[in-house]
Amino acid sequence: MKPVIRQLMLLLCLLPLVINFNRCAKVVAPTGGDKDTIPPVVTSCSPPNYSTEFSSQVIDIGFDEFIQLRDVNQKLIVSPPMKQKPDVQIRGKGIRIRIHDELLPNSTYTLNFNDAIVDNNEGNPLEGFEYVFSTGRELDSLQIRGTLVNALTLQPEEGVYAMLYMNLRDSAPYLQVPYYVGKTNKNGEFTISHIRADTFRLFALKDMNMNYLFDQANEAIGFLDSLIVLPAEGDIRPDTLASDLGMIGGAGIRVPFFRLKMFTEERETGQYISSSSRDIKNRLMIVFGAPSDSLPRWGEVPGYIAPGDFLAEWNPRKDTLFLWIRDSLLMNSEMIRLPLEYLATDSTGENLWVTDTLSFRYASPGRAGRDNLPDEGSGLPAFALTPVTRNKSQLDLNRPVVLEGNFPVTATDTSRISLKMEIDSLQQDVPYTLTRDSLRTRRFLVTAAWEPETKYRLNVLPGAFTGYLGNSHDTLKLEYTTRKADYYGNLYLNVTGVEGQVIVQMLGSSEEVLQEKAIASDTYLEFEYLHPGKVIFRAIDDRNGNGEWDTGHYLQKIQPERVHYYPEEVNVRANWDIELNWDIDFEVETVPAQAVR
């Protein structure tokens, strides 16, 4: 027994060693250390950064690690601009820049890479790296900074060029590229460095075709009203001595700062016909290039004795004209050629009548829609009345029921319309008013003193509305239930500081205008029956009193109308009244922090 006991004791002594060995032999993944967050570091520049009397066509820049280039053609900003941007290619742990343009004499060039250079592994960007050189004996060292914001929303504008011109004529942005250029970051901030002492014009451009010229009508612009003289009084010139790898030093440097508002001009173009079509058999549609205040004149339709008998209707913008055909013979013809005379503007700005002949072909009945189906017995296209306010939906206490005809309406008969409310299973007549929408003439509003949490029935019998062809619609039976009174919130705004006409707008979460009111003096405004949610208030300095925000015009030196925001986003709560005081100051252009995109 003694040998067996000795063996067991030996095994018990070796067991911890075996267990520990197995633990030591366990395979685990390496931790890899902390994540690399350090951007690439410049180790060499040839020729050296901040060189003078520069004449090379090739620049080599080395880094302490392998790098990548991200969107370098878009992010690299060369100032002054070159006709052909330099080529940038990766070579080992560095980049090679090839210059193809002939360089200007005695000029300081800046190649700003923004965040286009990143390390190969983690993509850490080297922010704002600049390579600077001068073809003269000195480096220019002045600088300006600024921000570019949308003129209406005051939100920062990203990717916009800030441009300095030595040509001080107003036409310079149209005809030539700028001498110095910078580009805004996501915060709308720009910097233009290494500027010579001189007088400049500052212009901002959202360049749609990347040619540094203001040559497209849809390009947003901004401009400074006055010229810039550098160095400005009180500016401190930074130290121009720098090492091969470093940036220009000079702590505490003060530079001029500018804030420009970006806008798109409403350019006046000569009136013209953009397109014409005939989507249904009894309607001609003519789209104009600009809104019109005058109704075109039409002549005889070839093949018909009398002039075309049409009912004219404008869309709300007054840039699209609908001509509704009255004559059934003309309506059923496959092709209509219509001589149309409309008021246009010639090159001198004078008004003149222009005549054009338009052709309208009617689509085959097999492809036509509901509007082309004939009314039974009459052979005319059917007149239909539809609810814009969806049937069986919840109805707001401050909103009308909206009905719309598919054709123009020439007569109404309210005796064929009844509105009833349901109380304890009984139907009770409710007085209402019927009005035509001032902008959309085929729309009609049914308005009543709605009671909360009440069911309403609206019956519209044939004959209530008569279409322009003399036919009527089918019976329309609609049901609505109004919301609870405590669903809504109310907001009361005590507005002060008003000088001249001011438009106060309440905006929703998507910056849509929910309500607006024009005031000309300090006023107590009421916004009632509001849906719960967040709203923003904006004031517009309506200088010309036309009831809308107006953009600017560069050549006429007109800046956009100023705007001012209430400093906080307002949370409308159900069954809650909010009272606010707002002192409007158009010199303050901040946007509520919660509203920034």
Side-chain angles (χ1 to χ4, degrees), residues 287-485:
V287 180
F288 291 90
S292 176
D293 292 325
S294 60
L295 185 66
R297 303 188 294 232
W298 52 88
E300 293 184 2
V301 176
Y304 296 86
I305 298 175
D309 190 9
F310 303 104
L311 175 65
E313 177 195 18
W314 284 109
N315 72 335
R317 277 181 48 85
K318 300 196 73 174
D319 60 1
T320 301
L321 178 66
F322 302 104
L323 294 180
W324 296 91
I325 306 172
R326 285 193 173 103
D327 183 78
S328 60
L329 184 61
L330 186 61
M331 187 187 305
N332 291 320
S333 63
E334 180 180 351
M335 173 67 73
I336 296 176
R337 291 183 174 86
L338 180 67
L340 193 74
E341 191 177 15
Y342 59 95
L343 195 61
T345 305
D346 64 14
S347 58
T348 65
E350 295 293 328
N351 291 331
L352 74 161
W353 287 92
V354 176
T355 302
D356 198 356
T357 299
L358 306 177
S359 297
F360 301 88
R361 185 180 296 277
Y362 168 54
S364 62
R367 297 171 57 191
R370 169 68 185 171
D371 290 339
N372 285 318
L373 296 179
D375 201 3
E376 291 184 8
S378 69
L380 297 174
F383 173 59
L385 187 71
T386 57
V388 177
T389 308
R390 187 167 53 86
N391 187 27
K392 295 185 179 180
S393 62
Q394 278 193 310
L395 187 64
D396 282 313
L397 296 175
N398 62 335
R399 294 284 187 267
V401 174
V402 182
L403 308 175
E404 184 172 25
N406 62 333
F407 300 156
V409 174
T410 55
T412 59
D413 183 358
T414 55
S415 67
R416 311 289 293 172
I417 304 174
S418 65
L419 179 65
K420 297 180 182 293
M421 61 188 298
E422 185 178 297
I423 302 179
D424 297 330
S425 300
L426 299 177
Q427 301 290 321
Q428 179 178 323
D429 288 331
V430 177
Y432 67 89
T433 58
L434 179 69
T435 56
R436 188 190 294 262
D437 192 300
S438 59
L439 295 178
R440 297 173 174 84
T441 57
R442 280 183 276 139
R443 284 191 176 184
F444 290 82
L445 315 178
V446 178
T447 307
W450 310 113
E451 296 289 337
E453 293 184 87
T454 304
K455 180 178 288 187
Y456 288 87
R457 299 181 185 274
L458 179 64
N459 292 328
V460 185
L461 300 178
F465 296 86
T466 303
Y468 82 105
L469 294 174
N471 50 352
S472 188
H473 51 84
D474 295 334
T475 298
L476 197 62
K477 294 183 178 182
L478 304 173
E479 294 182 1
Y480 298 99
T481 302
T482 52
R483 293 185 184 273
K484 298 180 180 180

